[in-house]
Amino acid sequence: MRGRRGECEALERLLAGAKAGESQVLVLRGEAGVGKSALIDYLVTQAAGCQVLRAAGVESEMELAFAGLHQLCMPIMGHLDGLPGPQRDALAIAFGLSAGNVPDRFLVGLAVLSLLAEAAEQQPLVCVVDDAQWLDQVSAQTLAFVARRLLAERVALVFAVRASAQGPADDQFRGLRELCVRGLRDDDARALLDSVVPGRLDERVRDRIVAETRGNPLALLELPRGLTAADLAGGFGRPDARPLASQIEQHFLRRIEALPDATQRLLLVAAAEPVGDISLLRRVAERLGLSPDAGAAAEAAGLIEFGTRTRFRHPLVRSAAYRAADQAERQNVHRALAEATDPESDPDRRAWHRAHAAAAPDEAVAGELERSADRAQARGGIAAAAAFLRRATELTPDPGTRGARALAAAQATFEAGAPDTARELLAAAELGPLDELQRARLARLRAQIVFARRRGGEALPLLLDAAKALKRVDPGQAREAYLEAIGSAVFGGRLNAPGVMAQVARAAAAAPPGPLPPRLADVLLDGLATRFAEGHVAGAPLLRPALQAFRRDACEHGDDVMRWLWLTWLVAGDMWDDETWHELTTHAVRTARQSGALNFLPLALTYRAAAHVHAGEFDVAAGLVEESDAITEATRNSPLAYASLLLLAWRGENPDAPEVIRANVGDATSWGEGRAIGLGHYLNALLHNGLGEYATALDSARRACEYEDPGVYGFALFELVEAAARDEAGQAGEAGQAGEAGQAGEAALRRLTERAEAGGTSWALGVLARSRALLSEGRAADLLYREAIEHLQRSRVAVHLARTHLVYGEWLRRENRRAEAREQLRTAYELLNRFGAKAFAERARRELLATGETVRKRTLEVRESLTAQEAQIARLAADGKTNSQIGAELFISPRTVEWHLRKVFTKLDVDSRNKLRGALTGS
């Protein structure tokens, strides 16, 4: 550990923090041979009183799902029974211990988090993963997820990652706390070099070696072994321009080639068998006719240890041992490994060895790989399934079967999050004699890949072509493709060519009938096709029962609800159907939590948060937004900004809000999502109406209404009416005459009337009555305001009710009905202030002052001192949920829940859960 005092102190601090109950995560990043493994060994030697779990990534293991995770967790699997049922089952299925439905990979991550937390209750855990860049993809994703959710457990998790190797797992660890491990300083490097070179070392040679190795400890230790005495004395050896890792590996390669043939062959077996199973190694050695002492020379050379497990001195020794053999030798060794591997207990590794042993296409091996892919997919190892299918494709002799397998491999690869590789497999599949159905499925998959990368209109023609092809061979898939095409057109928005939306709708309307009884997707397609072909009013009678079907069948058809939530959410917003919003998002969040579907949960949380914003529950919404952001960060998925921007606009207190909205719109439109343009204009209209900046709000609302974006257009219409009414009133007060703003308001009201009456919900009728009142006078206006309040009181959209009290109060004050105005304005101010709609509340306060009423400044509510996650945990605890139940719901460990609750108790000045509810409500 010469020259590593700083790194050692960092590891000692990490260990102390973990022992104290503060979870620690660290990525040691550096080039090959720089000393990462030595630092890990140092950490392990210092971990007295801790249980140490070790794993190492191996390049040849990267395609085997959960291989790295299995290594790490097996010593603590005795704690499996202590996990909540869904987590226990998910981990058991992932590790092949039991059969069941495919587990969400992030539910497996939560299970690993809980498993570590359970084990750490007995004894602090130190988990180290060497060569983490070579972990299989699902293990890397899972451990990165765990690393981002650790907080208050007695766990230290350390990854060593080679800086120069770009394995598919590497990016998973970006953003975690890092310690860059660099070469030794010159004085330490010279001292280390002197310690391994016998005799006199020429100073110029020493300086050259130190400079060329850049202080890399392994290079300093190993490279001088290949230099002669003359080289060391006079510096006559040639400088090597290869990358340093290659130099070190070449040095190991030369040392291996100097060993007896039998020893080299045994090293090859050990390199090809990454688990380190000594009993398997012995069985293979016997099959190959290698004597029991064949490894002695390699041990004597310090290249490998044969103990209870085989362990190479360094990963570069393993790679050098594998590369030292020619292709035929490797195939023979993999064949022997396959023959020695139990097909019952480890069929997938046996299949993988057989695949490496195959010198030519082999249907038997390809079929075995296909079966391994099925098993991997059943365990949630979609990346492994894709790898098995890709290799099966390569080994398939029959062109027709090869094309079908390439298509299946492309589908699995796309689902595993590798769209570029999936496209390559699609190209390979096209070379085969596919039947009509397979070609149609291929076309749809290609379109889905484009839509996943760019959600705008670029995928639209591809989806339409796929739908047309599927019409002839699979009407059910054709209808789904048309629904996806409508979704693509919706997201493309105003970036689509003129008339495209109606063309897509007419094509969808001509789709063949779906199965009977109709699926939820079929009902939705019929409604959307009519709505976009013939208009909102014509589509509403079909969309209302479609939404009711989704609500009614949510429990029975939960997968369909989750799959199409992104569309049904927009439709419900377009229909002002707050009940569907509430029921679908409640079901989606609950189902996603119970099933552990963390890929879907952020979307469900985002939509649920938006529903809470409209209900005036801003603190609840903020908690869900924070949770969604935390999960997307932990899962490395793209963030979802809609709910946070909606909350930003309704609060109206951030002076940078317009710029934040503009930046998010720019990001979305950069990948073709034109709908974001309309959404941005609507949010700006909402923001500026709250601030009382009506001319700006009017301009934004007009821009939002230039295109009928579902879930945006209707909201923008009533913002336009309010802005026009207020701007017109201001202009009339100054100039004494009506003008353009009033005309814009009247036009918007006509369009709003058609849509709201077609929707028919209390929300729709309430905002319609309010909008009519804003453009009316005298008794008619008075009655319309009261009608609006009556409708909105029957809805869930409390913010719109509060705004109706506000505009009614403003109208009453202008009518000189001050006492009645004060009543409405007080109600508005109380509600809006409690919600956190600061800009609208300030509008109400100014109006109250204008009536002559003194408005007392509100004290900050006690719950606002809590963070969003603390408030969420406090509410769940107040509802009587245990730490384990809260942890399972929020995807954190029970110990982390307890850590947050201690802070909650301190902030709220309570000493028990029984007092939480009163503290939160102020009662």
Side-chain angles (χ1 to χ4, degrees):
M1 303 311 295
R2 182 184 295 275
R4 295 299 188 199
R5 187 65 254 156
E7 290 88 343
C8 290
E9 288 175 353
L11 293 175
E12 289 162 5
R13 289 193 298 272
L14 174 141
L15 199 55
K19 288 181 177 180
E22 298 175 6
S23 301
Q24 302 289 314
V25 176
L26 185 65
V27 176
L28 299 174
R29 194 179 294 276
E31 65 181 8
V34 80
K36 304 182 298 297
S37 299
L39 287 169
I40 281 179
D41 289 340
Y42 176 79
L43 175 66
V44 170
T45 62
Q46 298 299 305
C50 301
Q51 182 176 2
V52 177
L53 305 179
R54 300 190 74 146
V58 179
E59 193 169 359
S60 60
E61 281 266 275
M62 289 167 58
E63 310 295 359
L64 294 176
F66 299 107
L69 202 62
H70 194 266
Q71 279 188 61
L72 191 74
C73 294
M74 280 311 293
I76 57 171
M77 288 298 285
H79 296 281
L80 187 64
D81 289 341
L83 272 56
Q87 297 178 34
R88 180 180 64 246
D89 296 342
L91 197 57
I93 293 168
F95 284 175
L97 302 177
S98 64
N101 294 330
V102 179
D104 181 275
R105 69 180 186 272
F106 295 115
L107 180 58
V108 175
L110 179 60
V112 172
L113 174 64
S114 299
L115 190 69
L116 296 178
E118 281 283 320
E121 288 293 324
Q122 294 183 358
Q123 192 178 18
L125 283 182
V126 175
C127 308
V128 293
V129 183
D130 206 354
D131 268 322
Q133 77 279 352
W134 299 137
L135 284 173
D136 61 279
Q137 185 175 343
V138 70
S139 290
Q141 288 174 335
T142 303
L143 289 173
F145 168 77
V146 170
R148 290 179 170 87
R149 303 301 280 176
L150 285 168
L151 181 62
E153 296 76 24
R154 297 191 300 170
V155 176
L157 181 53
V158 179
F159 303 98
V161 178
R162 194 186 306 178
S164 59
Q166 294 297 317
D170 185 46
D171 282 347
Q172 300 294 330
F173 306 111
R174 299 288 178 184
L176 298 175
R177 186 164 67 95
E178 289 193 0
L179 176 62
C180 186
V181 184
R182 296 183 172 85
L184 300 175
R185 294 181 305 177
D186 285 355
D187 54 346
D188 291 313
R190 292 189 189 97
L192 180 61
L193 184 60
D194 289 341
S195 72
V196 295
V197 176
R200 182 177 177 277
L201 180 62
D202 186 282
E203 261 188 53
R204 290 168 300 177
V205 175
R206 178 197 293 117
D207 290 344
R208 194 205 77 199
I209 293 174
V210 167
E212 289 181 356
T213 60
R214 300 186 302 281
N216 184 292
L218 185 62
L220 289 163
L221 292 170
E222 295 296 336
L223 291 182
R225 298 191 188 195
L227 300 177
T228 67
D231 291 332
L232 295 173
F236 298 109
R238 67 177 180 85
D240 200 323
R242 290 189 304 272
L244 185 59
S246 176
Q247 292 183 47
I248 302 171
E249 191 173 358
Q250 286 295 326
H251 169 71
F252 283 132
L253 185 59
R254 289 193 295 271
R255 290 174 62 186
I256 290 168
E257 289 172 340
L259 296 171
D261 289 345
T263 304
Q264 290 187 49
R265 205 167 191 204
L266 186 65
L267 284 178
L268 174 59
V269 175
E273 194 291 295
V275 180
D277 186 338
I278 194 70
S279 61
L280 177 60
L281 182 70
R282 287 171 180 153
R283 292 198 303 274
V284 174
E286 186 177 347
R287 283 176 178 272
L288 295 173
L290 301 175
S291 65
D293 61 351
E299 282 194 294
L303 297 173
I304 196 170
E305 297 174 5
F306 297 105
T308 55
R309 299 173 67 86
T310 58
R311 185 178 178 188
F312 284 93
R313 178 182 179 183
H314 191 275
L316 290 176
V317 180
R318 179 191 293 276
S319 60
Y322 195 76
R323 293 178 188 180
D326 61 29
Q327 183 65 20
E329 286 179 301
R330 293 177 198 167
Q331 288 169 348
N332 287 335
V333 163
H334 280 294
R335 189 175 298 109
L337 280 163
E339 292 167 354
T341 299
D342 185 351
E344 297 297 326
S345 63
D346 204 351
D348 298 335
R349 191 167 275 109
R350 179 178 183 273
W352 198 241
H353 283 308
R354 288 193 72 194
H356 281 292
D362 187 321
E363 177 55 33
V365 177
E368 192 171 337
L369 286 168
E370 193 169 36
R371 290 188 290 275
S372 288
D374 290 340
R375 285 190 292 269
Q377 200 149 11
R379 298 197 304 271
I382 189 66
F388 283 127
L389 287 168
R390 287 198 298 271
R391 184 60 175 149
T393 300
E394 295 167 1
L395 293 174
T396 302
D398 177 67
T401 308
R402 185 166 58 248
R405 282 175 176 155
L407 180 57
Q411 183 74 54
T413 302
F414 171 58
E415 292 173 7
D420 292 335
T421 306
R423 271 206 301 263
E424 293 172 8
L425 286 162
L426 286 179
E430 282 182 309
L431 298 177
L434 301 178
D435 62 29
E436 192 174 8
L437 175 59
Q438 289 169 332
R439 289 203 172 276
R441 286 177 52 213
L442 186 150
R444 183 184 177 194
L445 179 56
R446 176 174 283 117
Q448 289 172 327
I449 291 171
V450 173
F451 185 61
R453 293 176 69 90
R454 297 176 62 85
R455 282 188 297 186
E458 188 176 329
L460 183 54
L462 300 176
L463 285 165
L464 287 173
D465 288 344
K468 290 174 186 175
L470 285 163
K471 283 170 67 172
R472 296 187 295 271
V473 288
D474 191 330
Q477 280 203 56
R479 292 178 67 81
E480 290 181 4
Y482 275 121
L483 194 52
E484 291 165 348
I486 287 176
S488 177
V490 165
F491 276 93
R494 63 191 70 197
L495 296 181
N496 292 326
V500 160
M501 192 73 248
Q503 292 172 18
V504 174
R506 286 193 293 271
L516 293 175
R519 302 168 302 172
L520 295 180
D522 295 314
V523 179
L524 182 61
L525 176 65
D526 291 339
L528 285 174
T530 302
R531 184 254 181 268
F532 289 116
E534 302 176 30
H536 182 91
V537 174
L542 292 175
L543 287 171
R544 277 198 301 270
L547 294 175
Q548 290 169 3
F550 270 87
R551 288 164 52 186
R552 182 183 64 248
D553 299 335
C555 294
E556 184 179 351
H557 302 288
D559 289 345
D560 281 342
V561 169
M562 291 195 291
R563 182 179 177 188
W564 300 109
L565 181 66
W566 61 285
L567 267 179
T568 53
W569 165 265
L570 295 179
V571 173
D574 221 29
M575 302 285 291
W576 289 295
D577 188 345
D578 50 312
E579 284 299 328
T580 293
W581 265 12
H582 170 74
E583 292 188 27
L584 287 187
T585 56
T586 299
H587 171 81
V589 170
R590 181 175 61 247
T591 302
R593 290 196 192 284
Q594 290 173 349
S595 64
L598 263 72
N599 269 335
F600 173 76
L601 181 58
L603 181 71
L605 289 170
T606 295
Y607 288 156
R608 183 67 194 149
H612 281 296
V613 171
H614 286 278
E617 297 162 345
F618 289 9
D619 56 342
V620 179
L624 296 180
V625 168
E626 184 176 281
E627 184 184 355
S628 175
D629 289 346
I631 292 171
T632 54
E633 180 185 1
T635 57
R636 310 291 283 174
N637 288 334
S638 299
L640 299 164
Y642 169 64
S644 61
L645 293 178
L646 185 67
L647 197 56
L648 182 77
W650 271 103
R651 280 178 164 157
E653 58 186 350
N654 185 342
D656 296 326
E659 177 57 29
V660 173
I661 293 170
R662 188 201 64 77
N664 277 274
V665 170
D667 288 343
T669 53
S670 69
W671 56 69
E673 194 173 326
R675 181 178 176 275
I677 299 172
L679 178 62
H681 289 316
Y682 156 65
L683 291 171
N684 270 310
L686 167 63
L687 172 71
H688 289 287
N689 268 335
L691 294 169
E693 298 169 356
Y694 301 114
T696 304
L698 178 60
D699 180 62
S700 295
R702 277 173 162 167
R703 291 172 182 269
C705 292
E706 288 172 354
Y707 189 90
E708 287 197 39
D709 291 297
V712 171
Y713 183 73
F715 292 83
L717 284 174
F718 60 72
E719 295 297 338
L720 195 159
V721 170
E722 181 170 333
R726 289 292 177 256
D727 191 53
E728 180 77 7
Q731 290 180 19
E734 294 172 8
Q737 59 184 6
E740 185 183 349
Q743 296 172 13
E746 292 288 352
L749 180 59
R750 287 193 294 273
R751 287 176 281 168
L752 180 64
T753 300
E754 290 182 350
R755 299 173 70 90
E757 290 179 345
T761 65
S762 295
W763 183 6
L765 297 176
V767 295
L768 174 60
R770 183 181 82 198
S771 299
R772 284 173 169 165
L774 282 164
L775 298 180
S776 300
E777 297 178 355
R779 179 170 172 75
D782 199 353
L783 292 175
L784 284 167
Y785 279 124
R786 293 177 182 274
E787 179 187 340
I789 290 170
E790 287 177 7
H791 282 303
L792 291 170
Q793 283 176 334
R794 294 194 290 271
S795 75
R796 294 179 177 273
V797 287
V799 289
H800 299 284
L801 173 63
R803 280 182 66 177
T804 303
H805 285 294
L806 170 59
V807 293
Y808 187 23
E810 289 172 335
W811 180 81
L812 288 168
R813 186 186 69 77
R814 289 195 302 275
E815 294 290 305
N816 291 316
R817 295 161 60 178
R818 293 197 171 192
E820 295 171 89
R822 288 188 191 116
E823 181 182 351
Q824 296 296 327
L825 292 169
R826 278 194 220 104
T827 300
Y829 180 68
E830 292 284 348
L831 289 172
L832 292 164
N833 192 67
R834 187 171 78 238
F835 299 160
K838 301 302 182 185
F840 284 106
E842 178 60 18
R843 254 178 68 179
R845 190 186 71 83
R846 289 196 302 267
E847 290 288 328
L848 275 169
L849 290 174
T851 67
E853 178 161 314
T854 302
V855 184
R856 292 191 302 273
K857 188 175 181 180
R858 298 293 176 188
T859 58
L860 187 67
E861 294 186 20
V862 68
R863 68 170 178 270
E864 293 182 358
S865 65
L866 303 178
T867 68
Q869 186 167 46
E870 287 168 355
Q872 196 173 12
I873 289 171
R875 284 192 299 274
L876 293 171
D879 289 341
K881 295 193 174 182
T882 66
N883 287 0
S884 293
Q885 290 170 329
I886 297 171
E889 186 162 323
L890 300 184
F891 296 93
I892 54 179
S893 75
R895 181 180 277 268
T896 294
V897 174
E898 181 60 34
W899 183 81
H900 279 299
L901 278 176
R902 284 198 297 269
K903 296 173 70 176
V904 168
F905 285 178
T906 299
K907 288 183 177 183
L908 299 186
D909 194 24
V910 298
D911 56 10
S912 72
R913 291 175 182 245
N914 294 334
K915 298 177 181 177
L916 273 177
R917 185 176 297 278
L920 289 170
T921 60
S923 59

